[in-house]
Amino acid sequence: MNRTMKKSLVAVSVIVVLGAAWTGASWYTGKLIEQRMGELVNNANGQIRTLLPKAGVKLAYKDYQRGLFTSQVRYVLQADSSVAGEKALKEGDEVAFIETIDHGPFPLAQLKKFNLLPSMASVHTELANTPALKKLFEVTKGQSPFTADSRISYGGDTSSAITFIPIDYQQNTTSVKFSGAQFDADVSRDLRNVKVSGNSENILFSTKNQWDQIEQFSVQGLTLKSDSQMGKFDLSIGDQQVGIKQISFSLDGKETATLVGFNLNTQLGETDKELNGKLTYTLDALKIQGSDFGAGKLAFTFDRLDGQSLKQFTNAYNQQALKAVQAGENLDAEAYQQEMAEMLIAKLPALLKGSPTFSIAPLSWKNAKGESTFTLSVDLTDPSQAKAGSEPLLAQSVKKVDATLTIPMPMAIELTTQAAKLQGYSPEEAQKLAQQQVQGVAAMGQMFKLTTTKDDVISSSIHFADNQVDLNGQKMSLPEFVGLFGMFGGAPAEEESGDEPTDAPAPAAPEPAVPAQ
């Protein structure tokens, strides 16, 4: 046997050995995947029971067909007969996901993308056209609304690229145009840690209203980024950012309102017993019928919110919301609002257990003439620790309040002028009317001692602690402060209690304060 022949035999032997090893590893991977399916389903059902315990649905897998290099399976969301009451899905209805699985350690789907990193599997997922989703597939013309290509590591973590298909659908006088969307998601094996980022260029919704006018609503430039994990209270914590370049409303082709540069940033964290967070909203511009109404910002923070109480409140809220979804058009809106209010009142004392704090710093709105700002800081206390007495729950629960308001009069006049123009006033009439209205508000605020005016700025400051109120430097008791609002039309205390009026002369009305120049 010559030297060349020996080298060829060695090469063939290596290929055979590698092929056998790959085949054996692929077969073993397929078996390992099958064993892990039960764990995946259990984790998913655990999340469903935690977040929506009364939804009445569960996940299962069916029709698993394991091959040497490729397998197929159907994951099915269906009604859970063990949960009493109305369910999100009817008995027999299914939402099914069809998955084609390429086994590792070198899945063919990953090799085609020149990804040579070993992994347990590469999975292609599509939504199945089941009777429960008939209307959705009519919109997508028979195609799966999305596809997902995922890489599963041997540790069980998943990285997915998710594509939502473009949609161009019209029925009668209603149409939907959607450019599609791309999302990347990294999910831990136990489903408790999730990272998501994605974007969509445009969605346009159009319909005719009762006056035969064409209404259009569009969202352009949507971006999303989220890095969250399930905390110790089974509540999602972490950071999220949502951005939208433009939101537009139009009527018969004419722009009615446009929001430019809307952004929401959320930061949620936790300690051993409590939750804290900050939410920031910004809007770069609000335009109504082509007029620039300005830009706004809101920063809201909270701290020391009792984790277990918030978990119970969130569960109760989710169940009420689920009932509303299930009721659909049969929802009794008034009864629903009443139930939500009763639930909030019942849960409020528990939510105050950690003596939480809240602040708005700031809420602001600005235009070409200036910026108005409002700040608020509230320290609450556990009402169960308060001394027994006849004070209402709110008075027992509030420990301290600090609030400030500043409104530059030129800014307010500009905003009011823009609003008057929308009502049909000429620019000159709108300007004159706006000046009268703003000056009237400033004078009334001073007359009732709620605001002060200096250097063309309307301002107000309130400090409350130890049952005492400091309003713009004037100290008074809480009942006296509340009594100020009786001047706006509230009934006097004697009338509220049902006592007969006396013949005592009425107190003289306060004289209007002269605005500072």
Side-chain angles (χ1 to χ4, degrees):
M1 183 179 296
N2 59 37
R3 189 173 181 180
T4 302
M5 182 67 72
K6 289 181 179 180
K7 289 182 178 180
S8 298
L9 289 175
V10 170
V12 171
S13 298
V14 170
I15 293 173
V16 169
V17 170
L18 290 176
W22 187 359
T23 301
S26 184
W27 174 86
Y28 173 74
T29 296
K31 187 175 182 180
L32 189 60
I33 291 171
E34 185 175 11
Q35 293 171 352
R36 293 242 180 120
M37 284 182 179
E39 179 187 358
L40 173 63
V41 167
N42 289 337
N43 286 338
N45 284 327
Q47 295 282 9
I48 292 172
R49 287 192 295 270
T50 298
L51 300 176
L52 294 170
K54 296 183 180 180
V57 295
K58 65 179 181 179
L59 187 69
Y61 69 91
K62 298 180 178 180
D63 306 327
Y64 180 64
Q65 300 174 11
R66 176 159 59 90
L68 189 59
F69 295 102
T70 303
S71 298
Q72 286 191 336
V73 67
R74 283 168 57 94
Y75 284 100
V76 179
L77 193 65
Q78 58 192 6
D80 185 355
S81 58
S82 66
V83 178
E86 190 174 0
K87 302 173 178 60
L89 289 174
K90 298 178 181 178
E91 292 291 342
D93 283 350
E94 292 183 345
V95 176
F97 304 89
I98 303 173
E99 294 196 341
T100 302
I101 307 168
D102 288 333
H103 304 169
F106 302 104
L108 293 177
Q110 295 295 318
L111 290 178
K112 292 177 181 178
K113 299 176 181 178
F114 299 101
N115 188 344
L116 303 181
L117 294 176
S119 57
M120 179 188 293
S122 179
V123 182
H124 179 79
T125 305
E126 294 187 5
L127 191 64
N129 190 350
T130 60
L133 300 177
K134 180 181 177 181
K135 292 184 178 180
L136 176 60
F137 275 83
E138 288 177 357
V139 172
T140 62
K141 300 176 182 178
Q143 297 184 67
S144 173
F146 72 90
T147 60
D149 291 292
S150 308
R151 177 182 174 273
I152 305 176
S153 71
Y154 276 99
D157 297 340
T158 301
S159 296
S160 302
I162 306 168
T163 301
F164 288 85
I165 66 171
I167 294 174
D168 189 347
Y169 176 77
Q170 183 164 352
Q171 183 180 39
N172 299 326
T173 60
T174 300
S175 66
V176 178
K177 292 184 179 180
F178 175 48
S179 64
Q182 298 285 337
F183 289 90
D184 294 322
D186 295 326
V187 184
S188 65
R189 175 174 175 169
D190 59 5
L191 307 182
R192 296 183 68 85
N193 300 308
V194 179
K195 289 184 179 181
V196 178
S197 62
N199 63 85
S200 177
E201 291 184 2
N202 184 55
I203 181 170
L204 174 66
F205 176 80
S206 177
T207 188
K208 278 191 176 182
N209 61 24
Q210 57 184 327
W211 297 284
D212 206 32
Q213 298 169 310
I214 298 177
E215 297 178 340
Q216 283 192 338
F217 167 75
S218 70
V219 177
Q220 299 176 16
L222 170 67
T223 59
L224 169 68
K225 188 175 182 181
S226 174
D227 185 354
S228 63
Q229 54 275 349
M230 198 64 68
K232 57 175 63 72
F233 307 108
D234 289 325
L235 297 171
S236 180
I237 60 175
D239 300 337
Q240 291 85 34
Q241 296 90 41
V242 177
I244 301 175
K245 287 185 178 179
Q246 184 168 295
I247 303 173
S248 299
F249 304 86
S250 66
L251 191 64
D252 281 342
K254 296 180 180 179
E255 175 192 296
T256 56
T258 301
L259 287 74
V260 180
F262 172 80
N263 291 278
L264 166 62
N265 293 326
T266 304
Q267 298 171 313
L268 301 176
E270 66 182 8
T271 61
D272 290 340
K273 296 182 179 180
E274 298 162 345
L275 290 160
N276 55 77
K278 181 176 182 179
L279 291 79
T280 304
Y281 300 83
T282 59
L283 179 65
D284 293 341
L286 170 63
K287 298 180 180 180
I288 300 178
Q289 295 183 11
S291 298
D292 189 353
F293 270 68
K297 178 171 62 176
L298 168 63
F300 173 77
T301 62
F302 66 89
D303 197 9
R304 300 202 305 266
L305 194 59
D306 185 72
Q308 288 294 345
S309 299
L310 183 61
K311 176 184 175 181
Q312 295 171 7
F313 172 79
T314 302
N315 289 341
Y317 178 87
N318 287 341
Q319 297 318 308
Q320 291 289 347
L322 179 63
K323 286 173 60 178
V325 172
Q326 292 171 337
E329 297 179 354
N330 298 322
L331 176 67
D332 185 335
E334 186 174 342
Y336 173 73
Q337 292 175 357
Q338 179 67 23
E339 290 174 0
M340 291 292 285
E342 292 174 355
M343 183 269 294
L344 177 60
I345 292 172
K347 299 292 183 182
L348 182 59
L351 288 172
L352 300 177
K353 183 178 179 181
S355 298
T357 64
F358 301 89
S359 68
I360 296 174
L363 167 62
S364 72
W365 193 263
K366 66 178 180 179
N367 56 27
K369 299 296 184 178
E371 180 175 11
S372 294
T373 61
F374 172 73
T375 63
L376 173 67
S377 176
V378 180
D379 290 2
L380 302 177
T381 187
D382 184 355
S384 66
Q385 304 300 319
K387 297 179 181 179
S390 59
E391 291 183 340
L393 174 63
L394 183 61
Q396 295 180 38
S397 304
V398 179
K399 181 179 181 181
K400 185 175 72 172
V401 176
D402 281 296
T404 62
L405 172 68
T406 60
I407 305 175
M409 293 181 69
M411 178 270 175
I413 291 171
E414 174 68 14
L415 185 64
T416 308
T417 298
Q418 296 282 20
K421 288 179 182 179
L422 295 180
Q423 298 175 20
Y425 289 94
S426 68
E428 295 77 12
E429 292 173 333
Q431 176 79 12
K432 183 178 180 180
L433 178 63
Q435 289 177 337
Q436 292 174 348
Q437 290 180 337
V438 172
Q439 289 171 355
V441 169
M444 183 173 292
Q446 289 189 102
M447 182 175 67
F448 291 106
K449 301 180 181 181
L450 298 177
T451 65
T452 62
T453 302
K454 183 178 181 181
D455 297 331
D456 275 347
V457 175
I458 303 171
S459 61
S460 180
S461 66
I462 299 175
H463 173 77
F464 168 77
D466 301 324
N467 206 34
Q468 291 291 315
V469 177
D470 185 329
L471 174 61
N472 300 320
Q474 301 180 49
K475 293 180 172 54
M476 62 190 76
S477 68
L478 182 59
E480 289 173 334
F481 173 73
V482 173
L484 289 177
F485 295 92
M487 300 179 186
F488 293 98
E494 290 80 8
E495 291 182 17
E496 291 179 350
S497 62
D499 294 341
E500 293 294 330
T502 66
D503 294 330
E511 295 183 3
V514 179
Q517 299 299 317

